[in-house]
């Protein structure tokens, strides 16, 4: 199958696409590189890997989505926590509905933070909304979700996911940004190449199954990628975005995407350096999806 993507190629330099790959029915049907394929920072697409780790940890009995943050992080919760913080659960970490007053631990903030204990810092920020009621994109949720997995498992996210996800998929040990205490930063900073990102997209499309093994629980995956909350767009799941063509995706800054299209049984993976990543994504989808 040869796909005509001239409309993308005409704009590729302007849109700053680096690598593009498409799978359909489990087969790679398009691979186009405008620069070498190498491991790049996947930014917030990393969040979807943290979501997968939460699903696996739940299956292993290490955590529950209804656990209260005040119990989970008892040592770091401020004295006399607010009523909203007292209501917050692990599930709220995954939906961007934590209820805080702003976005914390963001990329432009982390290099200049004087605080070293990011868990204590995160929980000390104001919880001004009732958890579960208001979508606000914020790195605190996925960071704390990743911390919980690491504490309960007794290892960092890379060591946790190596035997459970990366190795079964043939992904060599990656690198992942860490916090000042050495914990994997579950909200971003995982380095992968576009082929590896595409494999993860295919795993999600197959509801967590890979080569006959259920790497991520199927029931969790269904919940993770469906619309859990309103976000003013197509909806948001458990650290997955909903999108056009009934798609869902892992989504990272500057255009790092693993886009799953269940109706087409297809995955579009993109690494880019785009300044307008959503326009770039929509252009690629509008060209590719009708041809699938």
């Amino acid at each position: 199958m040869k796909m005509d993507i001239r409309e993308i190629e005409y704009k590729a330099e302007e849109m700053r696409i680096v690598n593009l790959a498409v799978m359909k029915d489990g087969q790679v049907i398009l691979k186009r590189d405008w620069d070498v394929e190498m491991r790049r920072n996947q930014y917030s697409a990393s969040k979807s890997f943290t979501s997968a780790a939460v699903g696996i940890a739940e299956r292993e009995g290490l955590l529950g989505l209804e656990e209260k943050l005040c119990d989970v992080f008892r040592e770091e919760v401020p004295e006399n926590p607010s009523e909203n913080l007292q209501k917050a659960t692990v599930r709220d970490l995954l939906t961007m509905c934590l209820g805080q007053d702003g976005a914390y631990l963001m990329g432009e903030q982390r290099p200049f933070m004087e605080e070293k204990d990011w868990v204590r810092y995160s929980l000390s920020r104001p919880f001004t909304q009732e958890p579960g009621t208001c979508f606000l994109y914020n790195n605190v949720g996925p960071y704390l979700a990743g911390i919980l997995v690491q504490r309960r498992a007794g290892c960092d996210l890379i060591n946790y996911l190596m035997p459970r996800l990366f190795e079964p998929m043939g992904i060599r040990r990656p690198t992942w940004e860490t916090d000042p205490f050495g914990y994997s930063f579950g909200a971003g900073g995982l380095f992968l190449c576009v082929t590896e990102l595409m494999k993860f997209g295919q795993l999600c499309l197959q509801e967590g199954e890979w080569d006959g093994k259920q790497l991520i629980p199927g029931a969790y995956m269904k919940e993770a990628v469906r619309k859990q909350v309103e976000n003013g767009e197509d909806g948001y799941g458990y650290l997955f975005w909903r999108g056009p063509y009934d798609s869902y995706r892992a989504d990272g800054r500057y255009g790092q995407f693993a886009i799953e299209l269940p109706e087409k049984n297809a995955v579009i993976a993109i690494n880019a350096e785009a300044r307008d990543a959503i326009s770039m994504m929509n252009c690629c989808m509008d060209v590719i999806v009708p041809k699938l």
Side-chain angles (χ1 to χ4, degrees), residues 1 60 136 156 216:
M1 177 179 180
E60 294 180 348
L136 177 67
D156 66 17
I216 310 167

Side-chain angles (χ1 to χ4, degrees), residues 97 114 198 225 268:
C97 291
E114 293 181 7
M198 178 175 61
V225 303
I268 302 171

Side-chain angles (χ1 to χ4, degrees), residues 6 46 68-69 78 93 113 124 130 136 147-148 187 199 209 232 255 267 284:
R6 278 175 292 181
S46 314
K68 293 281 178 53
L69 299 194
L93 300 177
M113 287 175 58
S124 71
E130 183 173 346
L136 177 67
I147 290 289
L148 176 58
K199 282 184 173 183
E209 184 270 331
V267 176
C284 289

